[in-house]
Amino acid sequence: MQTQLLPCPLFIGGEWIHSKLSGTPVHNPSTGEVIAQCPAGGKDEVNAAVEAAAAAFPNWWETPAVERVRVLFKFKALLEENFEELIRLNTREHGKTLGESRGDVKRGIEMIEFACGVPSMLMGESMENLARGIDCETVRQPLGVCVGITPFNFPAMVPLWMYPIALACGNTFVLKPSEKVPLTAIRIVELLQKAGLPKGVLNIVHGGRDCVDALLSHPKVKAISFVGSTPIARYIFEVGTKNGKRVQSNGGAKNYIFIMPDADVENSTRGLIEAAYGCAGERCMAGSTAVVIGDARTTVLPSILDAARAIKIGPTDREKQPDMGPVITRQHRDRVVELIAAGAKEGAKVTVDGRSTRASDAPDGFFVGPTVLDDVQTGMTVAREEIFGPVLNVMRFADLDAAIEMANRSPYGNGASIFTRSGKAAREFKHRVKAGMVGVNIGVPASMAWFPFNGWGDSFFGDLHMQGKEGVQFFTQQKVTMNRWFSYGEGDIWQR
């Protein structure tokens, strides 16, 4: 019996549009079954969505900021009321465990909490008598139509990085969720519509490169937010800025977790395993490389290997939950397996091998088991490329200085962490390491909503990061006004 496909409509001008365009199958990664078809829109669909957003912008801008965020307060309440439904939908289309989906949705709700406080950050500055008889003031105003292009790995959180702040600042928005996981984004926007968002203020389009290129070139689009792989992030930045858009573009990463000889074995093992294998390694903050320093190879590394072997994988779309679920598609599973083989061919030791792992109760799911590659060297393919799967590289160094020098040669700069009891080592590490987000005894140093998601190097293209005050600055532009007023018949004040 064929599973009935879930609807995957566009949302334009406040109306849900069920397109007959052919597109991309949406899978349940736990079983391999197709659960929806995501239509592949292009220039026409993008133009309709952008025009709807442009038409809605004047009224939304003139809506007082406190009234705009009242919609977001209602939206937050609706997400909390429908929390369990959302996490199960998230898990079904992505493959995360239910616990990981809870984190995905919860972090998205935190972004709405932050956006509800945006009015206080829109306040400008003023100075009386900047010059004789002249006052100066600043205000922050919205840009207009903004766009979000989001990845598959966080169907709830990443879109919510973008449009709550954009809307609170007075912009209108066009969202293009990943064609691999559109259903969670659609359901969340249904709840935003129920919260009372006016028609056209937020719109959804679907599609691949044609859809993205139409968004990048549309003359009425003022700003673009993107999260995805580094090659595409660079392309989005270059094409978007060439077309006069403001762009913030998050790319991929190779994140290093340093394990010092004095590290607490239990806590460092738990932190590293969660960083490497959480969400099946499919996140830009994954701790994909363990940098084992000195005697940590004997004090901590054996514990890490035992913990990786103990991870239970399986389908996540049922009540009994595994430790780790599948990867997103069959094609991605095959790529991860190929990269593991490339590492072995180039000399890495496969000490934990997940290539042949399958779930007995879901034989068609897209599973790769936890894998550890030991003695990885800097020139290897697995050391250079982002694997985006449940693979942990182990690199060995004699001392902290050499390890930091190695990490700083990476073109990426998303995250780096150190596990140690030494304040001196921690201080040296956080001062010298070239990464925008640093953790001390924390495996995943991803910042929360109130601080920027702060990638460096090839992990970020742009000037203003997502989240926090930088997010508000990105979605607004500052206006400076100089004021001088004369009394009737007063004449030139300079002649006094």
Side-chain angles (χ1 to χ4, degrees):
M1 181 177 177
Q2 186 175 3
T3 302
Q4 184 176 0
L5 298 183
L6 297 172
C8 188
L10 295 83
F11 186 57
I12 298 175
E15 302 296 330
W16 293 100
I17 300 169
H18 294 272
S19 173
K20 294 182 180 179
L21 293 167
S22 61
T24 303
V26 179
H27 291 91
N28 175 349
S30 288
T31 64
E33 67 178 330
V34 176
I35 59 174
Q37 287 285 343
C38 184
K43 188 174 182 179
D44 291 343
E45 290 74 24
V46 164
N47 188 62
V50 173
E51 290 294 343
F57 173 65
N59 286 337
W60 186 242
W61 174 19
E62 294 298 339
T63 301
V66 291
E67 294 184 21
R68 295 196 296 257
V69 300
R70 283 174 190 150
V71 175
L72 296 180
F73 275 112
K74 294 176 183 176
F75 179 39
K76 173 181 175 290
L78 287 169
L79 291 181
E80 291 169 339
E81 289 174 17
N82 293 272
F83 189 81
E84 288 299 316
E85 175 201 350
L86 290 171
I87 67 168
R88 291 178 187 281
L89 179 59
N90 194 333
T91 285
R92 189 179 181 196
E93 69 172 341
H94 178 275
K96 295 175 187 287
T97 66
L98 289 174
E100 290 164 346
S101 285
R102 286 189 181 93
D104 189 347
V105 177
K106 182 179 178 181
R107 293 297 286 268
I109 291 173
E110 288 172 355
M111 285 303 305
I112 301 169
E113 291 174 343
F114 172 78
C116 287
V118 160
S120 65
M121 285 177 275
L122 295 178
M123 294 189 295
E125 300 175 318
S126 65
M127 183 175 180
E128 189 179 42
N129 283 331
L130 178 68
R132 189 179 298 275
I134 297 176
D135 303 330
C136 184
E137 64 185 19
T138 67
V139 295
R140 287 202 165 271
Q141 295 184 339
L143 306 176
V145 179
C146 300
V147 164
I149 302 169
T150 60
F152 74 80
N153 58 335
F154 286 91
M157 181 187 74
V158 174
L160 291 171
W161 274 358
M162 301 173 183
Y163 64 78
I165 296 179
L167 300 185
C169 290
N171 302 282
T172 54
F173 207 86
V174 178
L175 173 66
K176 195 213 83 67
S178 168
E179 61 273 24
K180 296 182 178 70
V181 291
L183 303 176
T184 302
I186 288 170
R187 179 61 184 136
I188 289 174
V189 170
E190 287 178 346
L191 296 174
L192 179 55
Q193 182 188 29
K194 186 177 179 180
L197 191 72
K199 292 183 177 181
V201 173
L202 188 140
N203 306 269
I204 296 178
V205 294
H206 302 293
R209 181 162 183 165
D210 289 345
C211 184
V212 170
D213 285 342
L215 290 166
L216 292 174
S217 62
H218 199 290
K220 292 187 179 180
V221 170
K222 302 301 181 184
I224 297 168
S225 298
F226 172 81
V227 176
S229 68
T230 286
I232 301 176
R234 183 183 286 109
Y235 174 81
I236 296 287
F237 179 75
E238 291 175 351
V239 176
T241 53
K242 183 179 179 180
N243 285 318
K245 320 300 182 191
R246 182 180 289 190
V247 181
Q248 51 181 196
S249 196
N250 279 326
K254 293 294 285 188
N255 303 310
Y256 300 99
I257 299 184
F258 286 46
I259 308 293
M260 297 295 289
D262 66 346
D264 179 89
V265 174
E266 182 180 351
N267 288 327
S268 58
T269 297
R270 183 170 56 248
L272 191 146
I273 289 294
E274 201 281 328
Y277 301 115
C279 298
E282 293 176 317
R283 53 186 179 184
C284 64
M285 289 299 292
S288 58
T289 303
V291 182
V292 178
I293 297 171
D295 290 341
R297 66 183 182 277
T298 57
T299 58
V300 184
L301 184 56
S303 174
I304 293 169
L305 297 178
D306 288 344
R309 295 186 183 106
I311 292 173
K312 295 180 175 61
I313 75 158
T316 55
D317 61 341
R318 52 208 71 182
E319 289 306 311
K320 185 179 180 181
Q321 289 287 291
D323 300 319
M324 190 181 82
V327 296
I328 188 68
T329 63
R330 182 175 289 105
Q331 292 80 5
H332 187 58
R333 180 191 67 192
D334 293 345
R335 178 182 181 274
V336 172
V337 168
E338 288 171 2
L339 285 169
I340 296 169
K345 184 177 181 180
E346 293 173 8
K349 299 175 183 176
V350 187
T351 54
V352 181
D353 193 345
R355 284 175 288 183
S356 61
T357 304
R358 296 292 181 268
S360 59
D361 53 345
D364 296 323
F366 310 140
F367 295 99
V368 182
T371 297
V372 179
L373 298 174
D374 199 357
D375 285 336
V376 171
Q377 306 299 314
T378 54
M380 293 180 180
T381 302
V382 292
R384 299 192 315 270
E385 294 191 19
E386 184 180 35
I387 299 175
F388 222 64
V391 180
L392 175 66
N393 294 336
V394 176
M395 305 181 77
R396 301 181 180 216
F397 286 85
D399 56 64
L400 181 61
D401 284 344
I404 291 175
E405 289 175 8
M406 176 280 299
N408 285 351
R409 289 193 293 270
S410 171
Y412 299 103
N414 230 28
S417 293
I418 187 169
F419 281 87
T420 183
R421 289 187 174 96
S422 167
K424 179 181 182 296
R427 203 260 179 202
E428 184 77 4
F429 175 81
K430 69 180 184 180
H431 176 65
R432 289 176 53 195
V433 74
K434 292 181 180 178
M437 290 171 281
V438 176
V440 176
N441 297 317
I442 293 173
V444 182
S447 54
M448 294 177 68
W450 294 265
F451 289 87
F453 192 85
N454 206 52
W456 285 7
D458 284 356
S459 293
F460 179 75
F461 301 89
D463 297 307
L464 294 168
H465 294 84
M466 297 175 189
Q467 301 189 159
K469 293 179 182 178
E470 286 194 44
V472 175
Q473 292 168 356
F474 179 80
F475 286 116
T476 57
Q477 53 194 348
Q478 192 165 229
K479 179 182 285 185
V480 181
T481 302
M482 307 281 282
N483 300 287
R484 177 195 285 174
W485 295 96
F486 297 101
S487 298
Y488 178 73
E490 180 181 358
D492 192 337
I493 61 170
W494 295 102
Q495 299 304 314
R496 291 180 180 177

